[in-house]
Amino acid sequence: MHPSHFTPFESLAAAIIPHLPQTTDGSHDHDHLLRVWNTVKAIQAQEGGDLELLAAAVLLHDCVLVPKESPLRSQASELAAKEAAGVLQSQGWSAERTEIVCDAIRTHGYSAGRTPTSLEGRILQDADRLDAIGYIGIARCFYTAGRMHSQLYNPADPTANARPLNDRHFALDHFPQKLLKLGANFTTATGQALAVVRVKALANFYEGMLAEVTGGA
């Protein structure tokens, strides 16, 4: 990832990128940051907000990576916010602007279950969640399932009619357990509009895969 991807905040990106984790997780890599940044810009163009704050929030929102299967998963956003505070303070950021970025990071994650208090936080949360749905969301779901050595689905009960959903063991369970619920949790009008198309893609895939594995198609 090159700082020029974050024009006109190349200097900010150049200062932050060395602090980012090097990871082999293709669902939370630098390409994820770039996708979220592009979506943030699209939402900000319609909703407003401070684009420099958003650039910092995007760059640092996953600066501490916690595996999905880790018991610390629900703390991932809080841990990233604490790390982000140190990075921004080392760059001479004011306490006020640092806290806006950190609050956006602290509240962006689904596992944290928190509501952003700023427009920038709402935009970051919407952009990050948009990357979890649609076609890229489907790809990320099965990529992560492969890394966790999960099965594609439960062959005895793929729709979980007589068992609890378990997306750590069955990739397809992640759709009703989380992904299909995300469409109701967007807090900007632009994010909501973008989510409609991506949620439809999720639903079509889920229904189509169920039809295939149950012999219906």
Side-chain angles (χ1 to χ4, degrees), residues 66-74 111 144-152 163-174 177:
V66 180
K68 182 177 178 179
E69 65 273 22
S70 169
L72 296 177
R73 181 63 180 174
S74 63
S111 299
T144 300
R147 287 175 62 92
M148 294 171 59
H149 306 292
S150 303
Q151 292 180 243
L152 291 177
R163 63 176 179 85
L165 291 166
N166 187 338
D167 60 0
R168 292 191 179 188
H169 290 167
F170 309 109
L172 200 60
D173 281 14
H174 194 54
Q177 189 164 337

Side-chain angles (χ1 to χ4, degrees), residues 10-186:
E10 295 96 334
S11 296
L12 174 65
I16 291 177
I17 288 172
H19 295 276
L20 301 182
Q22 297 299 314
T23 178
T24 59
D25 182 355
S27 66
H28 287 95
D29 56 8
H30 289 179
D31 289 336
H32 166 68
L33 297 184
L34 293 177
R35 291 193 303 271
V36 173
W37 174 236
N38 287 332
T39 304
V40 157
K41 289 188 292 183
I43 297 175
Q44 187 271 345
Q46 299 299 318
E47 305 286 339
D50 187 313
L51 199 56
E52 183 184 40
L53 293 176
L54 285 163
V58 170
L59 282 160
L60 290 163
H61 79 280
D62 282 337
C63 65
V64 176
L65 294 177
V66 180
K68 182 177 178 179
E69 65 273 22
S70 169
L72 296 177
R73 181 63 180 174
S74 63
Q75 301 176 39
S77 296
E78 184 66 43
L79 294 170
K82 290 180 180 179
E83 179 71 15
V87 172
L88 293 177
Q89 288 166 5
S90 73
Q91 298 302 314
W93 276 49
S94 69
E96 180 182 6
R97 289 179 70 77
T98 295
E99 178 51 29
I100 294 172
V101 172
C102 291
D103 186 70
I105 293 170
R106 191 179 297 118
T107 59
H108 88 277
Y110 181 83
S111 299
R114 302 174 70 173
T115 301
T117 60
S118 68
L119 174 58
E120 289 79 16
R122 292 165 55 206
I123 292 173
L124 175 66
Q125 187 181 80
D126 279 7
D128 188 62
R129 290 184 179 181
L130 282 164
D131 204 57
I133 58 178
Y135 295 111
I136 193 69
I138 294 168
R140 289 178 70 195
C141 173
F142 285 96
Y143 173 88
T144 300
R147 287 175 62 92
M148 294 171 59
H149 306 292
S150 303
Q151 292 180 243
L152 291 177
Y153 59 94
N154 183 312
D157 186 6
T159 56
N161 287 327
R163 63 176 179 85
L165 291 166
N166 187 338
D167 60 0
R168 292 191 179 188
H169 290 167
F170 309 109
L172 200 60
D173 281 14
H174 194 54
F175 286 73
Q177 189 164 337
K178 176 183 176 180
L179 299 184
L180 292 169
K181 296 178 180 178
L182 287 178
N185 293 303
F186 287 82

